[in-house]
Amino acid sequence: MSFPHRLVRYALLVLAWVLAGTPAQAADKMGIGDPITMCVARAMPGQRVADLFAGRIPLDCKTPQNRLGGGDYWVLGNRVERHGEVALRSVSLWQQARTVYARYADGVIVAKRSDARQASANLQLGAIFLDRLPARDAPLVQVAWKVEGAGNLRGIVVGPRLATLRESGWANLYMAAIYAGFAGLCIALLVHHFALWTAMQHRFQLAYCVMVGLLLGYAFTSSGAIAWAFPGFDNNDRLRLNYIGLGLSATAAISFARAFFEETVFEGWIGRAGTAVAFAILASSTSYALLAPWNIMVLDKAFAMAFLMLVAFVPMVMVRAWRRRSSYLWLFAIAWAAPVVFAGLRVANNFSFIGWSFWIDNSTILSMSAEALLSSVGITYRIRLLSRERDEARVQELAARALADADPLTGLLNRRAFLHRAIGREGDQTLFVIDLDHFKAVNETIGHDGGDEVLRVFARGLRGGVPSGALVARIGGEEFAVVMPVGRAIDPNDLLAHLRRERMPFDMNVTASIGVCSGSLATESDWKNLYRRADRALYDAKADGRDRVRIDVPSAA
């Protein structure tokens, strides 16, 4: 067994061990039976199976089967000796019909023919044909096949083994564990991420759900489970669906990558390259499904070339992501490592660079499991980053909103924010309108910078002299306002005394006048009325000598 075959086998054994038991048990149950070596000959009119067993048909035992082209063939296995009922297992391939011949030591030959539709009845999990060869008094000594309409993409008869029915049953059990584990994983991930998508509405979440759903559908056809669910389903049609399912899954994976990465990663030519690869995969898989068996080898090679483009495209994405400093590069590299490696092995097998192996043929299940699971981890990580970015943006928004509401010099509310918060308050409110006395003289004496410092000190004293919850604002040059509920309002004379105690720059004596009134602030009209009254009271305080309080009391009328 070559190194690539061993690599995939060991990886699948690890998965089988996780899902179904120890590696030794998995090896015993999945690599079951005794392998059969084969010789082949192109079938000619008039030839009979007796001629094949008698050695009257020239056979080719050296040329790889897939180099002989499609058509009708005789295949003869090596001599064996098996007693009892025997399970003949071989890989499901594109064939119009096949006849299995079992020759026993007493010379009796038993034949079993099936077309592509009837063959599904013999399909086992892992897409393996199982033909039961009956028990007779004489032992089984040789098997042969006549294959009609062979596509011969991987071979005419591939991977044949003779096993007991018990061994074959164990193989089904272990393959069922693997596929059930994969299906359970996909369903759980699908439900989880679809639920997240309904709540968060990120495009990459929906792309991921589509990808996992298509992978689940592909596993349903490629595993052979579709033949169990729908007995009599044409096996060649199942193979058509395999190509469509794999093509759609690969295209969905590209779409998921585009949605998952930052937009800059797929800008320009690499985005167009991704579209071209997706189109090539879809076109080649659809062509195979619609046109086979016409030029089936050409169609298969076109499909393999499209996947070779995908294998080459992935490193391009990784390089671009590295250059654009993507936060998700390492996640993408880990999640796509297994699919890229196994896709490369499948392509190598398609082009006959490496021979067929059961482990390579079933490697897709491992790579899909790894991609689905690790991509889910990647989505979780990205959501975490998005949540952090959202929280930071929210903090910045609150800070920006606070700056927009604040007077830049004093830090108090500006007029717009003050009115927005004051108008609409329930219950009667008390309004203080406060104005610094002779502020023009302050600016002329100590300059505008000194005047600004006086405003800052005064604002600090004003904020410290009112109860918590009161609205304090600078509503003009040297004019300030305070609003508080009537029940919590302080004595304005106490506030004025507090302001007098503030130490001003250069120990200047800076005084202020206060106008006070109370009333409703339910509407903008109420505010205008209240402000007019407070401003009138402030004017009275100024007229009476400044540095004092005047209260506007509404008349009884």
Side-chain angles (χ1 to χ4, degrees):
M1 183 179 292
S2 65
F3 173 74
H5 294 171
R6 289 197 302 271
L7 175 66
V8 182
R9 177 172 182 168
Y10 293 150
L12 280 171
L13 286 177
V14 170
L15 180 61
W17 174 69
V18 171
L19 297 175
T22 65
Q25 290 172 325
D28 290 341
K29 305 307 177 186
M30 297 171 69
I32 64 168
D34 300 321
I36 299 174
T37 58
M38 298 167 290
C39 298
V40 301
R42 190 172 288 275
M44 298 297 178
Q47 292 177 335
R48 299 176 304 165
V49 69
D51 298 327
L52 180 67
F53 283 124
R56 292 190 290 271
I57 297 177
L59 297 170
D60 185 345
C61 302
K62 295 183 179 180
T63 305
Q65 293 181 15
N66 59 353
R67 294 185 184 177
L68 300 176
D72 300 343
Y73 286 91
W74 293 105
V75 180
L76 181 65
N78 60 289
R79 294 183 64 86
V80 297
E81 185 173 347
R82 299 294 292 248
H83 296 270
E85 192 172 20
V86 178
L88 175 60
R89 297 168 60 86
S90 61
V91 176
S92 165
L93 300 170
W94 183 286
Q95 300 167 345
Q96 297 302 327
R98 60 199 290 274
T99 305
V100 175
Y101 299 96
R103 183 168 72 90
Y104 295 85
D106 57 4
V108 173
I109 299 175
V110 175
K112 181 181 179 182
R113 188 181 188 279
S114 59
D115 59 19
R117 186 174 297 276
Q118 295 165 339
S120 293
N122 300 326
L123 201 62
Q124 307 296 294
L125 289 178
I128 298 294
F129 282 138
L130 184 145
D131 295 286
R132 290 189 173 191
L133 306 181
R136 303 186 71 257
D137 293 337
L140 174 71
V141 293
Q142 202 166 20
V143 294
W145 295 262
K146 184 176 183 182
V147 179
E148 303 168 39
N152 201 6
L153 301 176
R154 312 289 176 266
I156 302 162
V157 174
V158 172
R161 286 175 173 266
L162 290 175
T164 65
L165 293 179
R166 179 180 176 84
E167 289 173 327
S168 186
W170 273 110
N172 268 336
L173 180 62
Y174 274 80
M175 292 304 294
I178 291 175
Y179 282 107
F182 173 74
L185 174 68
C186 284
I187 292 171
L189 293 174
L190 193 59
V191 171
H192 173 69
H193 286 286
F194 187 76
L196 284 179
W197 174 77
T198 58
M200 305 182 72
Q201 298 289 307
H202 291 304
R203 188 164 61 94
F204 64 84
Q205 292 174 297
L206 187 59
Y208 175 80
C209 291
V210 171
M211 180 186 74
V212 173
L214 289 171
L215 290 177
L216 189 60
Y218 170 71
F220 181 62
T221 61
S222 66
S223 66
I226 189 173
W228 290 27
F230 304 101
F233 194 88
D234 190 293
N235 189 58
N236 289 343
D237 288 342
R238 182 189 68 82
L239 294 174
R240 297 177 199 270
L241 290 179
N242 278 2
Y243 278 76
I244 289 290
L246 190 55
L248 289 173
S249 299
T251 304
I254 295 174
S255 299
F256 168 66
R258 296 187 72 151
F260 183 76
F261 274 115
E262 300 90 342
E263 291 184 3
T264 56
V265 173
F266 278 86
E267 284 180 346
W269 68 268
I270 200 162
R272 294 190 293 272
T275 302
V277 172
F279 177 80
I281 291 174
L282 281 179
S284 59
S285 61
T286 304
S287 298
Y288 182 97
L290 295 178
L291 301 178
W294 176 80
N295 279 338
I296 190 170
M297 287 193 172
V298 174
L299 296 173
D300 180 70
K301 291 297 185 287
F303 184 70
M305 282 297 299
F307 264 82
L308 187 59
M309 292 170 60
L310 176 61
V311 172
F313 175 68
V314 171
M316 297 179 189
V317 174
M318 295 176 68
V319 171
R320 169 63 72 86
W322 174 72
R323 288 180 175 174
R324 297 297 170 91
R325 301 184 182 277
S326 170
S327 301
Y328 314 118
L329 172 60
W330 66 275
L331 289 167
F332 181 80
I334 295 173
W336 281 55
V340 168
V341 170
F342 292 131
L345 292 173
R346 294 291 294 270
V347 170
N349 174 239
N350 280 25
F351 285 103
S352 302
F353 296 139
I354 60 175
W356 178 89
S357 165
F358 174 85
W359 307 103
I360 289 180
D361 205 41
N362 286 275
S363 64
T364 306
I365 188 68
L366 176 62
S367 62
M368 290 192 303
S369 298
E371 180 181 1
L373 186 58
L374 294 173
S375 294
S376 176
V377 174
I379 286 178
T380 303
Y381 175 73
R382 179 164 186 188
I383 290 175
R384 179 173 176 269
L385 292 183
L386 288 172
S387 299
R388 183 184 299 170
E389 291 171 1
R390 180 199 61 197
D391 293 342
E392 290 175 354
R394 186 172 297 169
V395 170
Q396 292 173 359
E397 180 184 357
L398 292 174
R401 188 176 299 172
L403 289 174
D405 290 346
D407 172 59
L409 178 63
T410 64
L412 300 179
L413 292 176
N414 57 32
R415 183 182 183 88
R416 179 192 61 78
F418 174 75
L419 294 180
H420 177 74
R421 299 187 189 187
I423 297 174
R425 283 193 159 200
E426 295 182 358
D428 286 348
Q429 305 290 318
T430 297
L431 171 64
F432 291 8
V433 176
I434 308 151
D435 189 84
L436 273 69
D437 298 327
H438 302 298
F439 188 69
K440 182 178 179 183
V442 172
N443 280 333
E444 291 174 351
T445 302
I446 61 176
H448 287 282
D449 289 343
D452 288 346
E453 184 61 23
V454 167
L455 290 174
R456 280 192 288 266
V457 172
F458 186 83
R460 184 173 65 241
L462 186 60
R463 188 161 40 209
V466 298
S468 61
L471 297 180
V472 185
R474 181 187 179 200
I475 59 175
E478 64 270 15
E479 186 177 8
F480 297 82
V482 178
V483 165
M484 65 197 87
V486 168
R488 298 188 60 194
I490 62 171
D491 187 330
N493 288 294
D494 291 342
L495 176 61
L496 194 60
H498 175 80
L499 293 172
R500 291 189 188 112
R501 290 194 294 269
E502 289 294 327
R503 185 175 180 180
M504 292 295 173
F506 304 102
D507 290 327
M508 287 192 69
N509 183 26
V510 179
T511 63
S513 301
I514 302 177
V516 183
C517 69
S518 298
S520 172
L521 269 179
T523 65
E524 186 175 356
S525 177
D526 291 338
W527 156 255
K528 291 179 179 179
N529 177 55
L530 207 62
Y531 179 74
R532 183 170 59 251
R533 290 168 50 205
D535 190 57
R536 186 168 59 230
L538 175 64
Y539 178 80
D540 291 343
K542 296 278 189 181
D544 290 344
R546 295 182 172 82
D547 191 20
R548 65 197 61 215
V549 174
R550 290 292 180 264
I551 301 175
D552 181 86
V553 179
S555 65

